[in-house]
Amino acid sequence: MTEQNLPIRTVRTACPHDCPDTCSMLAHVKGNRLIGVSGNLDNPYTRGNLCRKVAHYEERVYAAERVLYPLRRIGPKGSGEWKQISWEEALTEIGYRWKTIIADYGPEAILPYSYAGTMGVVNMSACDGRLWYRMGASQLLRTICSAAAETGYSYVNGWSGGMDPEDFVNSRYIIAWGTNLSSTNVHLMPIIREAQAKGARFVVIDPFRTRTANAADLHIAPKPGTDAALALGIANVIFAQNLHDEAYLEAYSVGWKQYRDRCSEYPPETVEAITGIPRQVVIDLATEYATCGPSAIRLGYGLSRTVNGGGMIRAIACLPAVIGAWGKPGSGLLLSTSVHFPLNKQAIKRPDLQVPPDSQSEVHWGRQTPRTINMNQIGSALLELSDPPIKSLFVYNSNPAAVAPDSGRVRAGLMRDDLFLVVHEQMMTDNARLADILLPATSQLECLDLLTAYGHLYINLCQPAIAPLGEAKANIEVMNALANEMGFTESAFKEDAEAIIRAALDSGNPRLNGITYEYLQEMGFARLKTEYTPALFFENGEGFRTASGKIELYSEQAKLDGYEPLPDYYPISPDADMNLSEPADYPINLLSPAAHHFLNSTFAHIPSLQKGEQEPRIWIHAEDASLRGVTDGDLLQVWNQRGKIVLKAVISDRVQRGVAWTPSLWWQNDSTDGKNVNHLTSDRLTDMGGGSTFHTNLVQFSKLEGT
Ligand SMILES: Nc1nc2c(c(=O)[nH]1)N[C@H]1C(S)=C(S)[C@@H](COP(=O)(O)OP(=O)(O)OC[C@H]3O[C@@H](n4cnc5c(=O)[nH]c(N)nc54)[C@H](O)[C@@H]3O)O[C@H]1N2
Ligand SMILES: Nc1nc2c(c(=O)[nH]1)N[C@H]1C(S)=C(S)[C@@H](COP(=O)(O)OP(=O)(O)OC[C@H]3O[C@@H](n4cnc5c(=O)[nH]c(N)nc54)[C@H](O)[C@@H]3O)O[C@H]1N2
Ligand SMILES: [Mo]
């Protein structure tokens, strides 16, 4: 049979990228060639629709930038001069270098750096544990995305998970707070539109008039970083009007009267002064939230990437309790659903492989457990750490040269002559370019994995649709091969993807009843078993994972951790942006949230998607523009004490004065002047959780000289 006559096979698989939607997907294959992908219509949440980024996934699988063979650098770092080598040569060299580093500096001189290029249970979760535990390598704190939000949320509700997104169809009042759903959670939008069609009101709270705000009935634009004052002010109006659910608060919360006193410090006029939102809007918002329900809040992670982000999330997370919204159809709050998936985590990550305590004092140079390194400060870590310095970095599932804050320092660190940089990648990214050894990774269409989700309740099996391109290998294969190279003989390092998936599903939790490997092979996905569909969590005040088991409006835990026991608003101080000698010189707060056509830096090299984003741009207010003699379409230089970049001006009333907005993330290599927005962002950490602060980014701009 010729290639043309081959039948088209359809394989049930799923999208593993870092997105709340985790779509059930069908891959259409002819011979060993991916013809295209489509959404799996059987999935009631993703409903057969794929986002614009993934709809032509063949463009990514066969992209010109794909890395197909192991490569060794032969020119200077970053020169792009490579020699193709065999896997055997690559593994032998890595093993030799690592053993030498361990002998000279101890295992903590090796650091794995990864995030969520794939969210697979096998190729993310298992790969982040096992080998590195066994090696005693420095441990990475994976804080770049959700750490501040999870910490702030947990002080109130414990890390308990949120509403079933399918339950938003039953809501009558919906707030999207600090999240741009039309770009970042696209499958929730049809559900919200369905609720709107049945009479629900949809409100968006965002300093920028996003695509989502354009679809809303009401857009409220606070000054960045002031949402805690708004949240406390909303609760204050509700208490003042006696619209709170006192019986609920009495039964299921801790400290509601002290919390009410705290809220009373935020009357509408104070909230107006802090947030810039007219007092009547605050009153109306609070009144409607309390009386026009069922009321649901979709809370975004985006909002939390601010120096006071944990505290903002904490203040917002209190609101459902005030009106007794939890555990009833169409009401409550959704930040993440990830914790609802009861997989066998021990079997995935294998913490038992950690070096036994006896040998640790010797192995870890006097420390009881390996040191931890916050990924948000990778530049500083590479440049400054001693005792021991980081001598080798192994990067997979991430592109830190583009995504981590303070790119100038990150790049300087990665370029260190004495750093042995190994990168396992699908594409020739900014980070891959700097590698000493570059290893080719499979796409999810070339390997097996299991996916949970952080934005719904379906579990998906990624089944391989085509053979690996070139000599690409899946992360787990590489980890096992490296373990073998290091002489680690534990049976864990013999487990393949299927074995890990079977072990992960074997937790004995009734939510996984009947969800077997065989079932997923046949169906592609399964919904977690819950009593109702949509699911109802926290019925009768049950299920909050705080110490008291209740909603902690007053938190002893927070106090123990050195915070105020009650939520409060903490202004972004003028010197909030670290190392700022003259804050007045940098009057513009530049927000850099998710781009519609990119996924962080993934997809940012695909020509059709670049076309969607046009070019690296910055939205600015007309008054900020005219103050500096800038007109629409001008090229601007945008700078602060960390760096200078070039962006094209879009003058727009979508943004307020003193704020600017640029979608992220372009590759450095494709940015005007070779620098993306992370040359300006700070590696300062959030108030809680050690999170990233991309949105507290104070800058100045002017027309680019000579244009
Ligand atoms: N298309 C696309 N989808 C994505 C991603 C992507 O890059 N592109 N990234 C994925 C990932 S990793 C994540 S974590 C999620 C993130 O998805 P979201 O949680 O939606 O996060 P962002 O888009 O970063 O930011 C959301 C909004 O927060 C607003 N914001 C910034 N500061 C404040 C503030 O102080 N107050 C308020 N109220 N709002 C503020 C920004 O203006 C922005 O519109 O999306 C995922 N989905
Ligand atoms: N300025 C600014 N910066 C930001 C953000 C922002 O809003 N503003 N958002 C932040 C957020 S929320 C996040 S989550 C981080 C994301 O940071 P990263 O997790 O680094 O995300 P990506 O840029 O998508 O890079 C993932 C890389 O993994 C690779 N990859 C995919 N699958 C595999 C695989 O199976 N194996 C291997 N070895 N590699 C694979 C992809 O090709 C891609 O290059 O970025 C952060 N950076
Ligand atoms: Mo993220």
Side-chain angles (χ1 to χ4, degrees):
M1 210 160 16
T2 64
E3 171 96 0
Q4 288 221 313
N5 296 335
L6 285 172
I8 293 181
R9 284 184 298 125
T10 295
V11 179
R12 287 192 172 82
T13 182
C15 176
H17 288 290
D18 187 351
C19 166
D21 291 14
T22 312
C23 293
S24 296
M25 199 164 106
L26 303 176
H28 309 290
V29 180
K30 213 172 188 185
N32 190 39
R33 177 110 194 151
L34 177 74
I35 306 296
V37 294
S38 59
N40 184 345
L41 275 164
D42 297 338
N43 183 311
Y45 179 68
T46 56
R47 300 183 187 183
N49 295 312
L50 296 176
C51 72
R52 174 112 178 250
K53 308 179 287 303
V54 174
H56 290 285
Y57 209 76
E58 64 283 1
E59 294 180 354
R60 184 162 193 277
V61 170
Y62 299 112
E65 291 79 11
R66 261 309 286 261
V67 178
L68 295 174
Y69 302 97
L71 300 173
R72 177 193 288 136
R73 171 174 72 85
I74 48 172
K77 284 209 182 209
S79 63
E81 291 164 48
W82 306 100
K83 178 177 184 286
Q84 185 179 327
I85 55 174
S86 68
W87 269 101
E88 202 187 326
E89 280 175 278
L91 292 166
T92 308
E93 182 164 342
I94 298 167
Y96 172 76
R97 295 287 298 263
W98 281 359
K99 283 179 203 158
T100 310
I101 289 172
I102 290 171
D104 293 345
Y105 296 91
E108 287 179 316
I110 298 170
L111 176 69
Y113 185 103
S114 72
Y115 202 63
T118 165
M119 303 259 302
V121 163
V122 174
N123 290 304
M124 179 181 73
S125 308
C127 291
D128 294 350
R130 297 174 171 236
L131 172 63
W132 313 109
Y133 288 145
R134 175 64 183 82
M135 192 185 283
S138 284
Q139 296 198 1
L140 188 73
L141 297 178
R142 293 186 170 81
T143 46
I144 203 165
C145 176
S146 58
E150 288 175 9
T151 309
Y153 186 85
S154 297
Y155 282 131
V156 186
N157 299 308
W159 191 235
S160 316
M163 285 173 68
D164 182 344
E166 290 174 79
D167 193 21
F168 277 65
V169 76
N170 297 314
S171 306
R172 299 279 297 176
Y173 199 77
I174 300 172
I175 303 177
W177 201 324
T179 177
N180 183 10
L181 304 175
S182 300
S183 294
T184 62
N185 187 188
V186 295
H187 293 85
L188 187 57
M189 285 306 287
I191 296 176
I192 291 176
R193 278 196 290 272
E194 209 176 315
Q196 275 177 299
K198 294 197 299 181
R201 194 159 156 77
F202 178 41
V203 181
V204 168
I205 304 178
D206 196 305
F208 184 75
R209 200 174 77 234
T210 56
R211 282 170 189 255
T212 317
N214 280 331
D217 300 302
L218 176 67
H219 172 216
I220 293 176
K223 290 180 195 154
T226 63
D227 301 63
L230 179 59
L232 293 161
I234 290 172
N236 174 61
V237 171
I238 295 172
F239 284 123
Q241 297 187 9
N242 212 20
L243 295 173
H244 61 288
D245 187 336
E246 191 157 331
Y248 188 90
L249 287 166
E250 276 292 333
Y252 304 128
S253 79
V254 174
W256 76 269
K257 287 183 180 156
Q258 288 143 292
Y259 166 72
R260 182 184 58 186
D261 291 346
R262 167 57 46 83
C263 295
S264 70
E265 295 166 26
Y266 293 90
E269 54 281 10
T270 305
V271 176
E272 176 175 328
I274 295 171
T275 64
I277 300 163
R279 60 197 72 178
Q280 194 55 48
V281 174
V282 177
I283 295 168
D284 291 347
L285 176 64
T287 312
E288 288 174 14
Y289 176 65
T291 59
C292 300
S295 292
I297 297 174
R298 176 60 165 120
L299 183 53
Y301 281 105
L303 161 94
S304 69
R305 296 183 199 113
T306 302
V307 294
N308 56 2
M312 291 207 286
I313 296 281
R314 181 180 176 198
I316 298 165
C318 293
L319 290 174
V322 178
I323 59 167
W326 289 116
K328 298 172 191 160
S331 83
L333 184 148
L334 169 58
L335 175 65
S336 168
T337 57
S338 59
V339 77
H340 294 313
F341 292 86
L343 297 187
N344 183 344
K345 296 197 181 61
Q346 306 294 318
I348 300 167
K349 285 217 187 280
R350 297 296 304 268
D352 54 298
L353 289 167
Q354 295 194 58
V355 184
D358 278 347
S359 53
Q360 264 179 7
S361 50
E362 188 186 307
V363 172
H364 301 301
W365 297 52
R367 279 182 277 267
Q368 285 305 299
T369 50
R371 68 175 168 192
T372 55
I373 294 174
N374 190 314
M375 69 187 302
N376 294 314
Q377 298 177 323
I378 186 64
S380 304
L382 288 170
L383 292 173
E384 289 168 13
L385 279 184
S386 53
D387 185 30
I390 299 169
K391 298 297 287 181
S392 179
L393 190 70
F394 184 86
V395 178
Y396 59 102
N397 284 344
S398 185
N399 184 14
V403 306
D406 203 353
S407 297
R409 280 170 66 76
V410 174
R411 187 180 162 88
L414 293 169
M415 290 286 283
R416 248 178 50 202
D417 265 342
D418 65 331
L419 177 76
F420 179 54
L421 176 61
V422 184
V423 179
H424 185 212
E425 245 300 348
Q426 297 165 338
M427 304 292 165
M428 189 60 81
T429 59
D430 292 322
N431 209 86
R433 272 169 218 280
L434 305 181
D436 294 302
I437 301 262
L438 178 54
L439 304 170
T442 48
S443 76
Q444 85 272 11
L445 294 175
E446 299 150 48
C447 63
L448 177 68
D449 216 326
L450 182 75
L451 292 167
T452 61
Y454 62 95
H456 59 64
L457 301 176
Y458 296 85
I459 202 161
N460 276 280
L461 191 68
C462 278
Q463 310 200 67
I466 52 174
L469 264 61
E471 292 179 9
K473 286 189 193 294
N475 295 354
I476 192 69
E477 293 177 86
V478 176
M479 299 295 169
N480 285 346
L482 287 170
N484 182 46
E485 202 61 46
M486 296 303 290
F488 302 151
T489 52
E490 287 81 355
S491 61
F493 300 116
K494 309 271 180 307
E495 287 176 2
D496 62 6
E498 183 181 326
I500 295 172
I501 293 171
R502 286 184 184 278
L505 289 170
D506 185 17
S507 72
N509 189 297
R511 273 199 199 140
L512 292 175
N513 271 352
I515 307 181
T516 59
Y517 183 71
E518 285 70 22
Y519 180 88
L520 291 170
Q521 269 187 313
E522 171 95 17
M523 305 303 292
F525 70 91
R527 193 186 149 84
L528 290 181
K529 307 293 181 219
T530 52
E531 199 176 342
Y532 316 102
T533 308
L536 262 192
F537 300 108
F538 316 110
E539 268 188 296
N540 308 315
E542 282 167 19
F544 296 105
R545 300 189 184 185
T546 51
S548 63
K550 296 184 174 187
I551 301 164
E552 300 189 345
L553 302 172
Y554 176 102
S555 166
E556 278 299 337
Q557 186 60 49
K559 199 171 159 189
L560 281 174
D561 295 346
Y563 303 108
E564 277 248 11
L566 290 166
D568 205 349
Y569 160 67
Y570 299 94
I572 295 181
S573 55
D575 63 347
D577 196 354
M578 204 165 51
N579 307 329
L580 204 58
S581 45
E582 293 292 336
D585 290 346
Y586 304 110
I588 304 289
N589 189 348
L590 175 58
L591 308 175
S592 54
H596 187 75
H597 302 84
F598 304 156
L599 191 119
N600 304 314
S601 77
T602 303
F603 300 100
H605 58 102
I606 308 275
S608 66
L609 296 169
Q610 285 185 341
K611 218 180 261 177
E613 288 300 316
Q614 299 188 26
E615 59 195 295
R617 291 182 290 169
I618 181 168
W619 274 252
I620 51 176
H621 190 272
E623 285 175 38
D624 290 323
S626 71
L627 259 175
R628 295 164 180 81
V630 167
T631 53
D632 195 62
D634 281 349
L635 279 184
L636 305 185
Q637 47 186 355
V638 185
W639 75 92
N640 59 19
Q641 70 279 26
R642 286 176 291 272
K644 183 185 281 187
I645 63 171
V646 176
L647 297 168
K648 189 171 197 164
V650 182
I651 297 179
S652 167
D653 64 358
R654 294 171 70 182
V655 67
Q656 49 188 289
R657 253 200 89 171
V659 178
W661 194 88
T662 184
S664 63
L665 266 165
W666 288 85
W667 284 12
Q668 310 282 6
N669 203 44
D670 292 329
S671 298
T672 324
D673 229 18
K675 291 182 180 140
N676 79 10
V677 65
N678 279 330
H679 274 270
L680 308 183
T681 55
S682 158
D683 72 355
R684 172 159 184 183
L685 304 178
T686 46
D687 50 353
M688 41 183 82
S692 58
T693 56
F694 295 107
H695 295 323
T696 305
N697 184 20
L698 305 180
V699 304
Q700 179 60 285
F701 68 83
S702 69
K703 202 170 152 165
L704 183 65
E705 288 149 27
T707 57

